[in-house]
Structures are given as C-alpha cells and as structure tokens.
Amino acid sequence: MRIDAAGLLDTAEFVASPNCDERPPGTEINLLVIHNISLPPDEFGGNGVIELFTNRIDPAAHPYYQALQGLKVSVHFFIRRDGALIQFVPCSQRAWHAGVSCWQGKERCNDFSIGIELEGSDTTPFTDAQYTELIALTQCLCQRYPIQNIAGHSDIAPGRKTDPGPWFDWQRYTGSLDDNLDKR
C-alpha cells in the first residue's frame, strides 16, 4: 500500500469526485477524520454513496435522497463493509467532508485533514474487514503525511454530527497505531 506524489493510493479504486479543490498554500496535512455513511440510511452495498460523492444521486431513487439533492460533498477514502477501498479525492487536494468544523482551536478542518468514510451507521457495528483496512490505510497515511491527530466527525463538529457513532471501536482502531498520535 503506497501513496504517490499526487496523493493517490495504489490499492484503492479511484472514482473521481468533482467536490474538491486546492488546499491553502503551505497547509500541512496532520488530521484524520473518521466518518460513517450509508445510503439509503442503514442499507449497505449499493451505489448511493458513490453517486452522492460524484453528484449523480437520483432524488427519485429513494425518499431520503430528496434531501441530498444539490449537496456537494466528498471524502478522500470510503471503506465498504467487505473492506474494499475507494478513493474519491487525491490526498493532495481538499475533500469536502467535514463541513463547519474545529479541531484544537483550528477551524476549517477540510483544509488540513484527510477524511475516511466507513460504510456503516450509528446503529450497526463495523466489520473486521473494515477495521483491518482502516488500520492499514491509517498506517500508510501516517508514513506519508505528518499526521498528528485522529478524530471522529462528532469530535470536530460536536452537536452537529454523531459519526462514526457509538459502534465504532476506538480502542480496537487506535490500539494498533503509533503511540505518538493524539487519538481522539
């Protein structure tokens, strides 16, 4: 598993999202943000997430999708329930995953973070395959970038977001990572 100079991971399927832009000049990527997503909610394995991040979601395909019409969001990485990994935005670019956010007094977390979505919800445990892939991806990202912190979306947008949710096992995830990281 390697990330090239453009920020593309060699083991991920790349599906380009238009919902990204340049990071501010001189920005150091030092935060990972963990999310969960499923579309439709609590349903797994479909193409709803891919369609959302590529602006192709059909509002007529599911009643929930009507609220997503016109939404412009993305993430760097998406890990499916079986561990399959999709990259939507090169790490060198800013993905639009955090929204209004703040970490350790620094606002606009999209500027300095990499977003990782897990296919899941606040009501369902994550799979062994997802933890295996997330840990390997995190280790790879930490080798390539000066990652100092890992947080949940709920940590950078408290009161607004709840993901990765109560079923995310922080101890299982962070227990296998470098002790020098500030983990949540």
Side-chain angles (χ1 to χ4, degrees):
M1 187 177 275
R2 292 182 46 149
I3 299 172
D4 68 18
L8 294 174
L9 183 67
D10 64 355
T11 58
E13 174 188 358
F14 184 68
V15 178
S17 172
N19 304 325
C20 61
D21 56 6
E22 297 299 318
R23 294 180 187 273
T27 298
E28 185 176 82
I29 300 167
N30 59 24
L31 174 67
L32 296 182
V33 179
I34 310 301
H35 305 260
N36 78 47
I37 190 170
S38 58
L39 291 174
D42 294 305
E43 292 183 27
F44 310 124
N47 288 324
V49 173
I50 294 169
E51 292 166 357
L52 175 66
F53 292 153
T54 57
N55 300 338
R56 295 182 290 124
I57 200 152
D58 178 4
H62 188 277
Y64 183 80
Y65 292 179
Q66 293 171 10
L68 303 176
Q69 192 170 7
L71 188 63
K72 306 282 189 204
V73 294
S74 63
V75 72
H76 293 93
F77 298 99
F78 175 55
I79 302 174
R80 289 199 175 268
R81 306 288 293 171
D82 65 0
L85 184 60
I86 300 172
Q87 184 171 7
F88 291 97
V89 174
C91 296
S92 59
Q93 293 189 302
R94 175 173 49 195
W96 304 343
H97 61 95
V100 176
S101 54
C102 183
W103 179 250
Q104 296 182 343
K106 193 172 177 185
E107 295 184 354
R108 299 177 49 93
C109 293
N110 285 339
D111 291 351
F112 56 93
S113 68
I114 291 174
I116 304 171
E117 291 272 10
L118 298 172
E119 186 174 33
S121 70
D122 286 1
T123 62
T124 308
F126 296 93
T127 68
D128 290 341
Q130 286 178 297
Y131 284 107
T132 299
E133 192 64 28
L134 177 61
I135 290 165
L137 175 60
T138 300
Q139 290 169 337
C140 180
L141 291 168
C142 288
Q143 289 173 2
R144 179 71 173 85
Y145 301 102
I147 303 297
Q148 298 169 356
N149 301 282
I150 300 173
H153 200 187
S154 58
D155 298 315
I156 65 168
R160 188 173 69 81
K161 294 295 181 177
T162 59
D163 57 313
W167 286 101
F168 185 72
D169 188 342
W170 282 101
Q171 181 58 40
R172 177 177 181 178
Y173 170 48
T174 61
S176 63
L177 301 175
D178 186 338
D179 288 333
N180 295 327
L181 290 170
D182 177 14
K183 300 166 235 166
R184 194 169 181 262

